[in-house]
Every structure is written in C-alpha cells, then in structure tokens.
C-alpha cells in the first residue's frame, strides 16, 4: 500500500514509496548537506551526480532464497542486501572502479568526498559483506553505519506481545533486548573494521539511545502518541490491525502526524525521523596546525641553518608537531568522555607535508615565495610592505603558489586533496629534528640532531622525547 495516500502526505503531498508520512532520515541528511534527495537506483533517467539510493523498502539482510526454502515468504520483499550490493557494484563498474587496489585512481575519484550511509541491517551479514568486498575495499572513506532503533517500541511489536513483557520505557522488553544485542555486535564489528581500514572514517549512528531519549522526553519534543499509529484502522489502544494496514481502503490517517512517533506500525513519522537525527551522534572536526615552519614569514625570519628535511624551519615545525600531538591526546580524552560524539582530527600537518613532497605533481612550483608581496628576493616578502599595501603586487597564477601573503595560504593548496596519510597518533614513532630547548629529556649540551623518537606529554604537559634505539 506504500504507493497509496496517505503515504507521503506531510511533505511531498503524494506517495513517493517512502514508508512514512514524509521524509526519512536520509532525506534530512541530504538537506543538511545541501544536496538533492537521492534518486532510487532503478530510476535510470534520474540525475545521480549527487548520489544514489540503493535501499529497498522491506528488504532483508538474508538472501530471499532462505525465506523461500523455509516457507517464510509472506510479504517478503524479494530484494535483499545482496541485491543492493550488486546494484552498487554495477554503479562502480560504470565508473571504472573495481577496487582500491586494482583501480586506485578511479576509486579515489568516486570516494574522495563521498559519504556512504548504511541503514539498519543484520550485524553479521553487514560485517562480512562490508569487510570483505563491497564498500571499504572499493575505497570508501566516510561511512555512517546506522544501528537499530528501540524496535520494541514499534506498534507492531506492542500489538503482538503480552502486556507483561514491558521495559522501563513501556515498550516490549524482549524485542528491545534483541535490538540492543544486535547493536552491541554491530559496534564490535565496526571497531574491527576501523582497525582493518585505519584511513576510513566509520561512524556509528546510535539510533537506539536516540530513540530512548525521544521517548523519555516526548512531551518536550511535541510527541503525544508514543505507541498508537497515525495511519491505521480499528481504533483501540494502538489503532492497528494487521489485516487493514495503512494505505488500505479501511485505513485512515490522523490529523497531525507530527504528534505521533509511529506512522503505520512498522515505520516512523517524518517528525520522529527528524528527532532521531537531531538526537543522534554529534559531529566535530578539530583542525590541527599545518607545518607552520613552511610559511614564508617563518622562513623570512629564521637563519638558513634552521631547516628540516623538506626545506622548512625545523624549530617552528617541531613546535607545530608537538602542539598537534597534545591536541590529538586531548581529542582521545574527549572521545572517552563523550562516547556518543564523533570527533575527527583533521591532520593538516601531514597533509601539508605531503603537498610539499609532491609539489610538482600537484601543480605547485613556488613553495615558499609569496604570490602577493613585494621586494622580490627569495621570498618576495617584506614586513614593511605586505600584501594589500600600495607597493605590493600579486602573481599571475596563484594556483602555482603555496603561500599567498606570507602567513596565509592560497586557495589552491587549501582545496588540494592528498592521498598520503600518517598522522602522528599517541605513541607513534616519527622522524623529527630535536633541539634541546623543546625536548627537556635531552642534555642541554647536546647538539641539534635528527632522531627517531616517540613524542608524548607527561602529566605536567611538559614534553619529552624518548629516544629509541
């Protein structure tokens, strides 16, 4: 009945084959990213330049053949997770992306800025398929994996269970326990995938806790009917009848769906989907310092002897590196303190280093000279006549320059994506130049030298470098 009104009545004002009165979570995600709603894969005439939706309403994680074999084919959608993944692979084939190993350039072009959203799905099936072939092996970098909500609060579960099987939310305890265990397994699998694919950002969307929070704060959020469906029949405590579901001739819908959590007994209202997204994981990107020793101002003020392996100011780059190490340690602390928040460290230090090392390939021909400045010379920089002053002028092609005015960068480098990673995480060994003033563990009489060391911060936030053999 999903092709019949009242499905779609709230926002689209006509059925769209979405199992709700309006928009779904993925629609709100698209809106937040200023993207059009994702067209379904089977709409071959649609514009898929901004993305495509492979979801099939009612599809299962297990192959359809399993249900046929076990005589469980009642109203089961024939498409399964495997069907959706095969469609995904066909799209990748059309874009010449076979795998990140076989076709790295083509797959990088596909996934460079792509967000992959994995909806509710069976934990074991998800871990096997995702981990072995379909998504991460293609080169997916940013992925949100959606956990199950508190499915014991869905009207269908309430309708089929005994009144004695209730938890502290008033929902079906046994079903909610199953969802909770499912999500625990899913999070364990995600942790394993994070270790296997360290360059990918995998985010767990905690819909279970979000759903619980909505139920606990329902009146404040404008919800007055937590278990009764908006679209159904028969009245009664749930307004639900399996033989006369939403969309059938015998059904009708409520006047104000925004006050209801449940839409048709199995799916939620648009208002609830929006509330879940707002209650879910919070996202934060913390930007590390770039290699500030490569800025023209630092080069201009320092002696030529103070240089590192990429020709930048060693002492300043060391300070930036130490700053970033503390920052990452603090981020780790915040992640433990706020486990439901997603805090991503943007590693500008290593990204900058990668650009400098690969400058000609990336189109940069001037690494230290400013595009906008005066005086000419090695850096085209003068503190008394900086960019914007009457005596300053700018270069013809800023895209060939890294430095814009001596302190700030050009648009070209800020917009440049690089593939090389290697963030200095806690305890990771890195090659740096040690100067006694910035490494208290070294004898002050020791000369400046390049060594391999592990940077850490002690309890007093003083820095030391443990020299490794």
């Amino acid at each position: 009945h999903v092709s019949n009104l009242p499905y779609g009545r709230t926002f689209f004002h006509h059925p769209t084959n979405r199992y709700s009165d309006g928009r779904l979570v993925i629609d709100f995600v698209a809106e937040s990213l200023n993207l059009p709603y994702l067209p379904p894969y089977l709409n071959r005439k649609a514009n898929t330049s901004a993305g495509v939706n492979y979801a099939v309403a009612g599809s299962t994680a297990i192959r359809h053949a399993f249900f046929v074999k076990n005589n469980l084919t009642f109203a089961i959608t024939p498409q399964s997770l495997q069907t959706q993944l095969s469609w995904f692979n066909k799209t990748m084939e059309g874009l010449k992306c076979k795998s990140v190993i076989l076709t790295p350039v083509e797959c990088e072009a596909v996934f460079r800025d792509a967000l992959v959203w994995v909806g509710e799905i069976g934990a074991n099936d998800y871990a096997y398929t995702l981990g072995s072939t379909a998504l991460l092996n293609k080169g997916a970098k940013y992925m949100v994996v959606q956990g199950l909500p508190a499915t014991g609060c869905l009207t269908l579960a309430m309708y089929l269970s005994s009144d004695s099987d209730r938890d502290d939310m008033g929902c079906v305890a046994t079903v909610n326990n199953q969802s909770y265990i499912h999500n625990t397994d899913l999070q364990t699998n995600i942790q394993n995938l994070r270790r296997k694919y360290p360059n990918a950002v995998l985010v767990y969307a905690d819909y279970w806790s979000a759903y619980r929070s909505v139920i606990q704060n329902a009146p404040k959020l404008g919800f007055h009917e937590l278990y009764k469906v908006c679209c159904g029949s028969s009245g009664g405590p749930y307004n639900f009848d399996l033989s006369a579901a939403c969309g059938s001739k015998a059904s009708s819908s409520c006047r104000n769906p925004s006050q209801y959590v449940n839409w048709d007994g199995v799916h939620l209202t648009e208002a609830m989907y929006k509330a879940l997204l707002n209650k879910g994981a919070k996202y934060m990107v913390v930007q590390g310092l770039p290699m500030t020793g490569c800025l023209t101002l630092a080069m201009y003020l320092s002696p030529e002897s103070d240089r590192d392996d990429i020709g930048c100011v060693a002492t300043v780059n060391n300070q930036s590196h130490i700053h970033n190490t503390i920052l990452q340690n603090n981020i780790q602390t915040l992640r433990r303190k706020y486990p439901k928040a997603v805090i991503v460290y943007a590693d500008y230090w290593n990204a900058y280093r990668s650009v400098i090392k690969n400058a000609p390939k990336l189109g940069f021909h001037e690494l230290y000279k400013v595009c906008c400045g005066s005086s000419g010379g090695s850096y085209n920089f003068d503190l008394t006549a900086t960019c914007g002053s009457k005596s300053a002028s700018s270069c013809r092609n800023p895209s060939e320059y890294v430095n814009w005015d001596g302190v700030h960068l050009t648009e070209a480098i800020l917009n440049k994506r690089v593939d090389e990673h290697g963030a200095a995480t806690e305890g990771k060994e890195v090659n740096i130049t040690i100067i006694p003033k910035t490494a208290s563990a070294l004898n002050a009489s020791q000369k400046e030298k390049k060594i391999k060391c592990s940077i850490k911060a002690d309890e007093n936030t003083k820095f030391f470098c443990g020299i490794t053999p």
Side-chain angles (χ1 to χ4, degrees):
H1 304 299
V2 70
S3 297
N4 300 332
L5 283 170
Y7 283 98
R9 55 166 268 196
T10 295
F11 181 79
F12 301 101
H13 308 300
H14 62 85
T16 63
N17 288 323
R18 287 168 170 82
Y19 272 98
S20 182
D21 61 307
R23 292 162 290 183
L24 309 178
V25 165
I26 194 63
D27 296 318
F28 290 114
V29 172
E31 286 181 2
S32 69
L33 297 174
N34 293 318
L35 295 174
Y37 299 128
L38 302 181
Y41 170 79
L42 293 179
N43 183 357
R44 303 308 171 92
K45 296 181 180 180
N47 181 356
T48 59
S49 59
V52 62
N53 193 339
Y54 301 96
V56 178
S59 63
T60 57
I62 300 172
R63 292 179 188 270
H64 183 251
F66 169 84
F67 297 99
V68 175
K69 182 180 178 180
N70 291 276
N71 295 317
L72 296 172
T73 56
F74 53 95
I76 295 293
T77 302
Q79 288 83 10
S80 68
L81 169 62
Q82 296 297 326
T83 307
Q84 297 173 47
L85 290 171
S86 70
W87 292 345
F88 170 82
N89 285 328
K90 287 179 181 178
T91 300
M92 294 302 101
E93 289 171 8
L95 297 171
K96 302 187 185 306
C97 171
K98 296 180 180 179
S99 76
V100 72
I101 296 175
L102 296 176
T103 54
V105 175
E106 291 81 359
C107 290
E108 164 64 16
V110 173
F111 290 108
R112 178 186 294 133
D113 299 311
L115 173 66
V116 180
W117 191 283
V118 181
E120 304 158 19
I121 211 166
N124 292 332
D125 302 80
Y126 157 79
Y128 170 78
T129 309
L130 178 61
S132 60
T133 55
L135 302 171
L136 292 171
N137 282 346
K138 293 284 187 184
K141 294 182 178 180
Y142 309 101
M143 185 178 297
V144 176
V145 182
Q146 181 178 323
L148 287 177
T151 51
C153 297
L154 297 177
T155 308
L156 177 62
M158 305 281 287
Y159 177 83
L160 295 175
S161 67
S162 65
D163 290 338
S164 60
D165 186 9
R166 295 292 183 266
D167 57 17
D168 62 329
M169 292 189 289
C171 302
V172 184
T174 52
V175 178
N176 271 348
N177 287 339
Q178 291 171 355
S179 299
Y180 191 87
I181 292 170
H182 164 100
N183 289 337
T184 301
D185 289 341
L186 181 59
Q187 291 176 78
T188 300
N189 288 329
I190 290 172
Q191 289 290 5
N192 293 335
L193 289 171
R194 284 171 177 155
R195 286 189 286 269
K196 187 175 181 180
Y197 300 92
N199 290 333
V201 177
L202 278 74
V203 175
Y204 172 68
D206 185 5
Y207 275 35
W208 202 96
S209 295
Y211 200 114
R212 181 181 180 89
S213 178
V214 170
I215 296 297
Q216 291 177 333
N217 298 279
K220 297 179 183 178
L221 298 171
F223 294 108
H224 303 296
E225 291 291 351
L226 307 186
Y227 314 116
K228 181 183 289 187
V229 300
C230 171
C231 180
S233 59
S234 84
Y238 303 119
N239 189 34
F240 183 76
D241 185 346
L242 273 173
S243 63
C246 180
S248 65
K249 292 182 179 180
S251 68
S252 61
S253 61
C254 63
R255 181 173 296 179
N256 194 346
S258 65
Q259 296 180 357
Y260 286 67
V261 168
N262 282 272
W263 167 246
D264 60 6
V266 182
H267 306 95
L268 308 176
T269 60
E270 176 186 282
M272 182 59 173
Y273 283 125
K274 187 174 183 179
L276 285 177
L277 189 63
N278 291 336
K279 283 283 183 180
K282 305 302 179 185
Y283 306 95
M284 180 181 296
V285 176
V286 181
Q287 180 179 323
L289 285 177
M291 300 187 81
T292 50
C294 298
L295 297 176
T296 307
L297 177 62
M299 306 281 286
Y300 177 84
L301 295 174
S302 67
E304 295 290 338
S305 59
D306 186 9
R307 295 292 183 267
D308 57 18
D309 61 325
I310 55 173
C312 300
V313 184
T315 51
V316 178
N317 272 347
N318 286 340
Q319 291 169 358
S320 298
H321 199 289
I322 291 170
H323 165 98
N324 288 340
T325 302
I326 293 185
L327 181 61
Q328 291 175 80
N329 288 337
N330 288 335
I331 289 172
Q332 290 289 3
T333 301
L334 288 172
R335 284 172 179 158
R336 289 189 289 269
K337 186 175 181 181
Y338 302 97
K340 294 180 182 178
V342 178
I343 308 175
V344 177
Y345 173 67
D347 185 6
Y348 276 35
W349 202 93
N350 279 293
Y352 199 114
R353 181 181 178 87
S354 180
V355 169
I356 297 298
K357 291 174 68 176
N358 297 280
K361 297 179 183 177
L362 299 172
F364 295 108
H365 303 297
E366 291 292 349
L367 306 186
Y368 313 117
K369 183 182 288 188
V370 300
C371 172
C372 182
S374 59
S375 83
S378 303
Y379 304 117
N380 189 35
F381 184 77
D382 186 346
L383 276 174
T384 62
T386 57
C387 181
S389 64
K390 291 183 179 180
S391 57
S393 61
S394 61
C395 62
R396 180 173 297 178
N397 193 350
S399 65
E400 295 181 352
Y401 285 68
V402 168
N403 282 273
W404 168 246
D405 60 5
V407 181
H408 306 96
L409 306 176
T410 61
E411 176 185 280
I413 188 171
L414 294 174
N415 193 41
K416 187 64 64 178
R417 275 81 167 178
V418 292
D419 299 326
E420 294 185 15
H421 297 282
T425 55
E426 186 175 0
K428 182 176 180 179
E429 290 189 338
V430 291
N431 289 307
I432 65 168
T433 302
I434 296 301
I435 293 94
K437 289 182 180 179
T438 59
S440 59
L442 297 180
N443 188 295
S445 63
Q446 228 174 324
K447 293 182 179 180
E448 174 180 323
K449 60 184 293 188
K450 290 182 180 179
I451 60 172
K452 182 173 283 189
C453 69
S454 179
I455 300 179
K456 295 182 180 179
D458 68 14
E459 58 187 358
N460 297 315
T461 66
K462 295 178 181 177
F463 299 96
F464 63 92
C465 185
I467 302 176
T468 56

